[in-house]
Amino acid sequence: MELRPVKKQTLVEQVIEQIEQLIQSDSWPLGSRIPPEPELMQVFNVSRNSIREAVKSLIHVGVLEARQGDGTYVCSKSSLNAILHHQLMKADRREAAEVRFCLEREIARLATERRTDTDLEAMRRWLGLMSESFRIGDDDAYVRHDYQFHLALATATHNQLLVNLYSSIADAVRQSVDLFIKRSPQREKMACFHEELVDAIERQDGNAAQQLVRQLLELNFDISE
């Protein structure tokens, strides 16, 4: 095999990498407006052109969004998030449900085998916050806590790649839950399924956990066997 010299990163590539690190570490959280160009020039110690090229590249892949007259905002954790979100949003509803089911079913199966007491405590904590949000009618808080619950479930697999994959479809998941919680008359049933799912994981019943994931997605997407 012919070996080739390693290419040095350009200034623009270095800025892109550092911006992505800031976003992924939540120093620049989703929905936040990034600092203006003069401040970025000082932070990264590069020219205006380098900043503009880096920001333009991240806008192109869907990580940042330029809003006319308002600034540039963080709209995705990574280019992978943006691509998967775009694909899920334009996919057929049944196809999207099937993809999520494949991922979430495996997460549920592994979580039943590997969960620790700490994992169960985290899931029940988010479940309690979901219940409280539902009780007081705070739909936005419910959606946020629902995502954190499912992220805790993914964390219980102790497989970081699965956690990263689930995080990559987070925007699409939140959007589907938001649509469901604000429109569906079956919202209470969804809350019951979440509680039963944690119970199944606690007693390490993989079959029950996977079936409950199927029922949750059937509610979200109105699909059936």
Side-chain angles (χ1 to χ4, degrees):
M1 182 178 69
E2 181 184 356
L3 298 179
R4 298 178 181 177
V6 176
K7 292 182 179 179
K8 294 181 179 180
Q9 279 189 313
T10 65
L11 283 176
V12 173
E13 289 170 337
Q14 291 179 53
V15 172
I16 290 172
E17 184 176 299
Q18 291 188 62
I19 290 176
E20 288 179 329
Q21 290 174 359
L22 286 167
I23 293 171
Q24 290 165 13
S25 68
D26 283 332
S27 296
W28 290 1
L30 285 173
S32 65
R33 183 170 59 183
I34 71 171
E37 281 185 357
E39 187 174 335
L40 292 177
M41 290 165 61
Q42 289 186 336
V43 169
F44 297 117
N45 193 28
V46 295
S47 69
R48 185 181 299 272
N49 283 340
S50 294
I51 293 297
R52 286 183 174 176
E53 284 301 313
V55 170
K56 183 179 178 181
S57 294
L58 290 169
I59 289 173
H60 179 71
V61 297
V63 173
L64 299 177
E65 177 188 13
R67 300 178 187 175
Q68 188 67 34
D70 190 21
T72 302
Y73 286 77
V74 179
C75 59
S76 185
K77 283 276 191 179
S78 70
S79 56
L80 175 60
N81 291 36
I83 292 167
L84 287 176
H85 173 75
H86 178 68
Q87 290 296 319
L88 280 171
M89 288 300 98
K90 73 176 185 178
D92 175 82
R93 286 172 59 83
R94 178 174 292 276
E95 289 182 353
E98 288 171 351
V99 168
R100 277 188 56 190
F101 176 60
C102 289
L103 179 60
E104 296 189 31
R105 177 182 59 186
E106 185 63 10
I107 285 173
R109 185 186 71 80
L110 290 174
T112 60
E113 296 176 0
R114 302 174 181 176
R115 94 291 184 275
T116 64
D117 289 343
T118 300
D119 294 325
L120 289 168
E121 288 172 7
M123 282 183 267
R124 292 203 181 279
R125 182 171 66 253
W126 290 115
L127 193 61
L129 290 169
M130 288 163 62
S131 297
E132 178 61 16
S133 300
F134 183 82
R135 186 186 68 80
I136 64 176
D138 189 340
D139 293 341
D140 291 335
Y142 182 94
V143 172
R144 291 195 303 273
H145 298 326
D146 175 85
Y147 167 67
Q148 292 296 335
F149 167 80
H150 284 281
L151 191 59
L153 180 59
T155 301
T157 68
H158 297 274
N159 181 320
Q160 191 56 48
L161 184 55
L162 269 178
V163 175
N164 292 343
L165 281 171
Y166 190 79
S167 297
S168 293
I169 65 170
D171 293 342
V173 171
R174 277 194 290 260
Q175 187 166 331
S176 70
V177 173
D178 183 64
L179 186 63
F180 175 85
I181 201 67
K182 291 178 178 177
R183 295 186 183 181
S184 175
Q186 302 190 75
R187 295 184 298 174
E188 291 186 19
K189 186 180 289 187
M190 187 179 191
C192 290
F193 282 154
H194 279 99
E195 292 177 7
E196 291 175 20
L197 177 57
V198 177
D199 290 341
I201 290 170
E202 183 169 18
R203 66 176 184 269
Q204 297 188 296
D205 187 341
N207 289 333
Q210 291 178 71
Q211 182 57 35
L212 284 161
V213 167
R214 158 66 71 175
Q215 290 173 306
L216 278 167
L217 287 177
E218 285 177 351
L219 280 179
N220 263 209
F221 288 90
D222 190 24
I223 63 171
S224 58
E225 297 284 0

